[in-house]
Amino acid sequence: MTASPVSGSQIDLSWAASTDNVGVTGYDVFRGAALVGSSTTTSFTDTGLTASTTYSYTVKAKDAASNVSAASNTISATTLAAGGNLALGKTYSASTIWNASYPAANAFDGDISNTSRWSASNGSLNNQWISIDFGAAATFNQVVMKEITFQRVTSYKLQFSNDGTSYSDIAGTSGTAIGASQTVNFSQVTSRYLRLYINTASAVPTINEMEVYN
């Protein structure tokens, strides 16, 4: 069983599938000793939690004969601090990808290593983008781009949208190369979508991690 903190109020859980001779029909999820929910899949989202708080979980499998398994391993996770990275655990898309090893999600997984990055497709330089769907309107005023190969980028824009189609500019720059990473601060924006739009680049643009804060 694994646990991934997504925000100050949410932890995502996943576990290996259980099997028996009757057939597993579902799973009960426990936070400490309390039953907090059930799932027919091997994942569960626990919400309504308190920021900067550690929670422990176990899961038990149930089968068609109403048998219940022993508890899984206990896993603990700490919710993010209030105002934590809003980009974690959301939905992502990109104009192109180099291959399946470098999807948009890699830029928002908390891992800044080069093995976990988004890369546009080979030969695609200009007018490439990567976007976040927060799922609902979110309020933010800072974007942190870590280990981005901005030495390859000479013009970009941060943009927001409420419908995922029409975008307005928040901030951006053009001209000389910018450096390996940067933090962009701006007036508070509330929107469902955020996009990094790369107008021009001297080589295939990639980004290791993009974080969003309020």
Side-chain angles (χ1 to χ4, degrees):
M1 187 177 185
T2 61
S4 302
V6 173
S7 68
S9 62
Q10 178 178 327
I11 293 176
D12 288 349
L13 306 169
S14 62
W15 54 86
S18 187
T19 60
D20 72 358
N21 61 331
V22 179
V24 175
T25 57
Y27 303 87
D28 287 337
V29 179
F30 296 83
R31 186 198 311 138
L35 175 65
V36 293
S38 299
S39 176
T40 56
T41 67
T42 57
S43 63
F44 180 80
T45 297
D46 193 20
T47 59
L49 306 176
T50 302
S52 302
T53 302
T54 300
Y55 296 92
S56 296
Y57 298 91
T58 55
V59 65
K60 296 180 180 180
K62 304 177 292 185
D63 69 12
S66 299
N67 297 309
V68 179
S69 74
S72 69
N73 63 301
T74 300
I75 190 72
S76 297
T78 302
T79 50
L80 301 181
N85 181 9
L86 302 175
L88 291 174
K90 300 304 186 293
T91 301
Y92 317 105
S93 59
S95 50
T96 61
I97 60 172
W98 187 283
N99 58 44
S101 297
Y102 303 110
N106 281 1
F108 306 96
D109 61 1
D111 183 352
I112 65 170
S113 68
N114 280 327
T115 57
S116 177
R117 69 179 190 270
W118 164 68
S119 293
S121 64
N122 186 18
S124 297
L125 306 184
N126 303 330
N127 303 316
Q128 299 300 304
W129 54 262
I130 185 169
S131 68
I132 310 167
D133 178 359
F134 295 106
T139 300
F140 50 93
N141 57 11
Q142 183 185 78
V143 173
V144 180
M145 291 171 281
K146 293 184 175 181
E147 302 301 320
I148 189 171
T149 53
F150 258 160
Q151 55 265 46
R152 299 177 176 178
V153 175
T154 56
S155 176
Y156 80 93
K157 297 176 182 178
L158 287 172
Q159 302 174 311
F160 71 94
S161 172
N162 287 307
D163 59 10
T165 301
S166 299
Y167 282 85
S168 300
D169 296 344
I170 302 171
T173 191
S174 62
T176 58
I178 302 157
S181 62
Q182 72 169 189
T183 297
V184 183
N185 296 299
F186 43 85
S187 298
Q188 202 169 63
V189 171
T190 299
S191 71
R192 175 171 173 173
Y193 299 90
L194 171 66
R195 182 169 72 176
L196 169 63
Y197 191 96
I198 297 170
N199 300 86
T200 56
S202 60
V204 173
T206 72
I207 181 171
N208 291 36
E209 196 69 18
M210 183 172 168
E211 300 172 352
V212 183
Y213 297 98
N214 181 29

